[in-house]
Amino acid sequence: MYKFGGVLVILVSSITTIYAQSPSNEDNDTASGKTFLPGITVSTSADASAEGLSPPYAGGQVARGGRAGILGTNDNMDTPFSITSYTNELIQDRQARSVGDVLQNDPSVRVARGFGNFQESYFIRGFILGSDDVAFNGLFSLLPRQYIATELFERVEVMRGASAFLTGANPGGGGIGGAINLLPKRAPNEPLTRLTTHVGSGWHHNVGVDVARRFGPDQKIGIRFNGAYRGGGTAVDKEGVQTGLAAVGLDWRGDKLRLSADIGWQDNRLKRTRTNVTLGSGITGSPRLPDPTTNFAQPWSYSNESDIFGTLRGEYDINAYLTAWAAYGLRRTDEKNSLANFTLADRDTGDGYATRFDNTRKDNVDTGEIGIRGKFSTGPIDHRVVIAGSYFENERKNAYAWDFFNQLNTNIFSPVSWEKPDFSSSAFRGNNLSSPGLTGRTRLLSFAIGDTVSILEDRILLTAGFRHQNLRTESYAYDTEAKSPAYDRNRISPSVSAVYKINKQFSIYGNYIEGLTQGDTAPGTAINSGQVLAPYVSKQKEIGAKYDGGHIGATIALFTTTKPRSIIDADNVFTSSGRDRHRGVELGIYGEVIRGLRLLGGATWLDAKQRSTGDVTTDGQRVIGVPSFQASMGADWDIPGLQGVTFDSRVVHTGSSYANDVNTVKVAGWTRLDLGLRYLTEFRGHLVTLRGRVDNVTNRKHWASVGGYPGQGYLVAGMPRTFVVSASIDY
């Protein structure tokens, strides 16, 4: 496919597209003053669910509600948790290419990078969630492990806070601070054929096609196909990327039975991508930054990942009061990379070195869930009961070679390119790179039951429940595949919560909920590399308030969460030590403040401290990579007198943070400005959308993130000024 490197990429469409709102929102959108051209009327579900998608809120950038795990999709005002569902309209208008691009709009989330490679990871309330722990339609770890293109999903749902009762234990060690769920695309009621092309910095180009049809009596059968290719460079010198993908979504809507299925493929190839910057032991103070376009990666470095995934889901109405469902999903992943991560030895001169690290990996993921929901009344009290069970298994195969002592001297400001070195006899090795061996297996089993009680005509909602979980992790030694003693324990995770709706505009809520995740895996730099620590139990308390003014919504949440922590100790052993306590306040705003002006954003204050570490140098210090303050605010403005023309802007601010657990290396905060312009018109009966965008308008030098893996304080240089222009046409 890549031989056709001239052709191009992206995009995208979806059920609720930009100027094609569902009937439930037509009144709001007309009142907003937006000028709508002929589009697609959408009324469909993102899965085999009678609930369907939560309708867009005024302005179309977020939905009115989202999915709270096994409790299903609910309106925000009825939900005792903090949830934001970002729509496909926002995804398209911001020309987002990945989940991380979408979450730049979220004030409680910051995008980072996984350890040693180019995986997206996300700080949610200051806790790390890896992209391989993102859920797809409620099932964990099904979409590509390191990078998820936006063509593969309809919406991004962010549920902030611990969620063991709601979603089950997170298999990869994340999920303490929140969960991310992506909703699949489904065929809308009207035919859809959309072609999108774009070109951007570094002559990055892409072409995408989005086709959907419904068939049969009452259009019960739907099919939707998305295909895309991306290729070219980036705004960073000599970086290269190629991404190909194809996805098919099917659904059948009967009177009592609803079925859906997804199958997809993504192949993502990175060439000479700028690496993480590891700080040498002698560095104190904030490291200087290179020019934003400087590429200090070695010319032979690359990272390739290919994924195939699929899901099946069914829902059946047993009667008017009971609905049962079942789902199954799988992912098969092949990864191969040759890396040369940079270690900075002198922050003033920029001197440092790179070492070759090669890695191959295979993942086999199988997961599923079954459940039943019921509703009944006991006198004046209404009940909504849910019972569910889930299963998850991931078998991991891995091999590596690391030539730590063969250091390639270079400089972050004036990089030195080396020929690809052969591995020396002193290189560390594990398994065969051409045939990686079994290194780990994770199995999760759970059973959950919950009841939501509503009284006083739904003004008071009380929810209580628990999830019984069995976590089993197995580790196998490199080369010999000798099995270490398995970790196999059970845990009950409770939750209680309440919502009080003061009136139609205001509600207050509170919750106590726990998180349960697999313990962190020791990185390759530790003596006990590959060892999985015991699962982490976190405890969260939260209170908040929500406002819905019809066209403008706002939220505030106050929370505290504690979690066991992990470090590499003085003996180079990866171990659990003490706990992290995160206290914070979140503010959010969304909707249409005045006619033609839409806002989306907010701010988060975080007090993330290390506690009970047993070490006076770390006890009470701030957690690596977590700022005390961060904020995002975006505005969309329909320019008066220019029909179909909209200007958008976004400011993203991240405060300073620390790159080590003793807080001697402080990394400066940063503020970034992004601007965009779009024009919607009609050409010969076809809807045409033209978009242009510039991110980091001022070309601000900044360290975009600090860390992204527990106990690690590596840095990632922010992207330079980046532009993209695109055109899409609906046939």
Side-chain angles (χ1 to χ4, degrees):
M1 181 174 185
Y2 298 120
K3 293 180 180 179
F4 300 97
V7 280
L8 341 154
V9 106
I10 240 174
L11 242 107
V12 151
S13 134
S14 64
I15 299 175
T16 28
T17 89
I18 234 185
Y19 297 97
Q21 306 292 329
S22 63
S24 61
N25 259 4
E26 282 179 355
D27 293 340
N28 282 343
D29 292 326
T30 301
S32 74
K34 274 189 178 181
T35 303
F36 292 100
L37 298 175
I40 299 165
T41 300
V42 176
S43 179
T44 186
S45 170
D47 59 11
S49 164
E51 297 171 332
L53 286 171
S54 178
Y57 195 76
Q61 298 178 323
V62 299
R64 296 196 61 88
R67 181 179 303 175
I70 61 171
L71 299 182
T73 300
N74 294 290
D75 189 272
N76 274 333
M77 302 295 283
D78 297 337
T79 306
F81 304 97
S82 177
I83 301 175
T84 303
S85 181
Y86 296 101
T87 66
N88 203 259
E89 176 175 343
L90 178 74
I91 293 170
Q92 292 184 69
D93 288 344
R94 296 296 182 269
Q95 301 192 67
R97 302 180 190 177
S98 70
V99 176
D101 289 346
V102 180
L103 295 181
Q104 294 286 354
N105 299 283
D106 195 301
S108 65
V109 181
R110 282 299 174 262
V111 182
R113 185 183 284 174
F115 185 71
N117 56 23
F118 306 106
Q119 175 190 31
E120 283 192 347
S121 61
Y122 319 99
F123 281 98
I124 307 177
R125 291 185 171 176
F127 293 104
I128 300 168
L129 177 77
S131 59
D132 49 354
D133 283 333
V134 168
F136 183 56
N137 211 8
L139 297 178
F140 284 124
S141 200
L142 287 184
L143 291 180
R145 196 180 81 85
Q146 296 203 30
Y147 174 87
I148 307 170
T150 51
E151 289 87 350
L152 298 177
F153 55 85
E154 170 72 18
R155 286 183 179 177
V156 179
E157 295 184 329
V158 179
M159 181 164 61
R160 302 170 189 85
S163 59
F165 161 63
L166 300 171
T167 64
N170 193 296
I176 299 296
I180 297 173
N181 183 47
L182 308 181
L183 297 182
K185 294 185 174 184
R186 293 288 175 258
N189 289 339
E190 299 298 327
L192 168 66
T193 303
R194 175 174 296 145
L195 177 67
T196 302
T197 65
H198 89 218
V199 63
S201 298
W203 195 239
H204 185 83
H205 46 275
N206 99 27
V207 64
V209 62
D210 188 357
V211 180
R213 296 290 187 273
R214 303 205 68 86
F215 306 94
D218 299 323
Q219 294 191 324
K220 290 183 177 181
I221 301 172
I223 181 170
R224 187 164 185 174
F225 170 79
N226 276 262
Y229 170 78
R230 306 175 185 175
T234 73
V236 176
D237 293 340
K238 300 177 182 178
E239 276 192 352
V241 60
Q242 289 182 325
T243 304
L245 64 90
V248 177
L250 304 168
D251 71 282
W252 185 79
R253 306 185 301 203
D255 295 332
K256 290 188 174 183
L257 177 66
R258 294 165 293 279
L259 301 172
S260 66
D262 297 273
I263 186 168
W265 163 82
Q266 178 182 284
D267 191 286
N268 190 46
R269 303 187 178 199
L270 305 177
K271 179 68 173 177
R272 202 175 182 175
T273 300
R274 193 161 58 181
T275 67
N276 302 338
V277 175
T278 301
L279 302 180
S281 58
I283 290 182
T284 59
S286 181
R288 290 175 54 206
L289 281 145
D291 184 87
T293 62
T294 298
N295 190 349
F296 40 83
Q298 291 299 312
W300 40 266
S301 60
Y302 72 91
S303 180
N304 297 338
E305 179 189 358
S306 181
D307 298 89
I308 295 175
F309 63 90
T311 67
L312 293 170
R313 182 175 290 269
E315 184 179 89
Y316 181 70
D317 297 329
I318 300 171
N319 54 39
Y321 307 100
L322 291 174
T323 298
W325 85 88
Y328 167 74
L330 63 82
R331 170 171 61 86
R332 302 293 183 259
T333 296
D334 285 289
E335 294 181 29
K336 185 176 182 180
N337 54 58
S338 186
L339 307 174
N341 283 341
F342 181 85
T343 298
L344 183 65
D346 189 313
R347 75 182 187 99
D348 295 317
T349 66
D351 287 338
Y353 61 88
T355 54
R356 181 180 172 185
F357 180 90
D358 285 18
N359 181 74
T360 55
R361 173 170 171 155
K362 294 179 182 291
D363 277 51
N364 290 336
V365 173
D366 292 271
T367 183
E369 64 175 1
I370 59 173
I372 187 168
R373 289 191 181 94
K375 53 186 178 180
F376 62 92
S377 299
T378 54
I381 301 175
D382 295 329
H383 297 262
R384 287 179 292 166
V385 176
V386 59
I387 301 173
S390 66
Y391 170 82
F392 176 92
E393 179 173 354
N394 181 12
E395 181 181 270
R396 301 176 299 279
K397 296 181 178 181
N398 197 70
Y400 74 93
W402 184 27
D403 211 353
F404 174 76
F405 297 106
N406 184 18
Q407 297 177 354
L408 310 175
N409 293 325
T410 182
N411 185 285
I412 197 172
F413 307 125
S414 302
V416 177
S417 295
W418 291 79
E419 294 293 327
K420 188 172 186 177
D422 294 330
F423 283 110
S424 67
S425 59
S426 61
F428 299 101
R429 298 176 184 269
N431 291 336
N432 186 340
L433 285 169
S434 61
S435 181
L438 180 65
T439 57
R441 184 181 288 115
T442 299
R443 291 193 181 104
L444 309 177
L445 286 169
S446 75
F447 167 81
I449 183 169
D451 183 15
T452 298
V453 174
S454 61
I455 56 179
L456 299 179
E457 298 181 342
D458 286 344
R459 290 189 66 183
I460 298 178
L461 302 172
L462 306 174
T463 301
F466 69 88
R467 184 181 292 267
H468 178 274
Q469 302 179 90
N470 174 260
L471 292 84
R472 181 179 177 87
T473 59
E474 302 170 354
S475 298
Y476 297 84
Y478 283 94
D479 299 319
T480 66
E481 291 194 10
K483 183 180 177 181
S484 300
Y487 181 93
D488 192 346
R489 293 188 184 178
N490 298 312
R491 172 78 183 183
I492 293 178
S493 300
S495 176
V496 291
S497 57
V499 176
Y500 174 55
K501 292 186 280 188
I502 300 171
N503 51 40
K504 290 183 179 181
Q505 286 78 40
F506 289 96
S507 70
I508 57 176
Y509 72 92
N511 66 63
Y512 171 82
I513 190 168
E514 294 184 357
L516 182 66
T517 66
Q518 174 182 302
D520 296 322
T521 302
T525 53
I527 290 176
N528 56 336
S529 173
Q531 179 183 343
V532 180
L533 301 183
Y536 295 147
V537 176
S538 66
K539 299 180 179 181
Q540 173 187 291
K541 301 171 186 176
E542 178 179 351
I543 58 173
K546 301 178 182 181
Y547 169 75
D548 182 353
H551 288 276
I552 189 71
T555 62
I556 182 172
L558 293 81
F559 61 89
T560 179
T561 307
T562 59
K563 163 194 172 292
R565 64 189 305 273
S566 56
I567 62 169
I568 296 179
D569 65 18
D571 297 322
N572 203 36
V573 176
F574 190 72
T575 184
S576 180
S577 177
R579 59 188 173 90
D580 292 339
R581 187 206 65 192
H582 293 212
R583 290 178 175 173
V585 179
E586 294 170 341
L587 296 176
I589 186 170
Y590 52 89
E592 195 159 31
V593 289
I594 60 173
R595 187 171 183 173
L597 177 63
R598 296 163 292 281
L599 296 181
L600 175 63
T604 299
W605 290 263
L606 273 170
D607 178 30
K609 297 289 182 61
Q610 305 169 61
R611 298 291 183 185
S612 304
T613 64
D615 184 344
V616 295
T617 65
T618 59
D619 202 34
Q621 303 289 5
R622 281 168 54 185
V623 175
I624 290 174
V626 181
S628 297
F629 176 74
Q630 59 192 46
S632 301
M633 181 56 69
D636 265 27
W637 179 46
D638 298 330
I639 301 176
L642 297 177
Q643 182 175 347
V645 178
T646 299
F647 171 79
D648 75 76
S649 63
R650 180 178 64 195
V651 176
V652 181
H653 171 78
T654 299
S656 62
S657 61
Y658 288 95
N660 60 351
D661 54 8
V662 296
N663 288 188
T664 58
V665 181
K666 187 175 184 179
V667 179
W670 52 272
T671 302
R672 194 184 87 186
L673 173 64
D674 307 328
L675 299 176
L677 190 69
R678 63 183 181 271
Y679 175 51
L680 184 72
T681 188
E682 187 176 356
F683 179 73
R684 295 184 178 179
H686 301 298
L687 183 67
V688 176
T689 307
L690 305 176
R691 297 181 176 93
R693 186 165 192 81
V694 180
D695 288 335
N696 192 9
V697 173
T698 62
N699 205 30
R700 172 70 182 269
K701 293 182 183 180
H702 63 290
W703 296 113
S705 63
V706 179
Y709 191 91
Q712 301 296 309
Y714 52 85
L715 310 180
V716 175
M719 289 295 290
R721 181 187 299 114
T722 303
F723 77 88
V724 59
V725 293
S726 70
S728 65
I729 182 169
D730 290 1
Y731 292 94

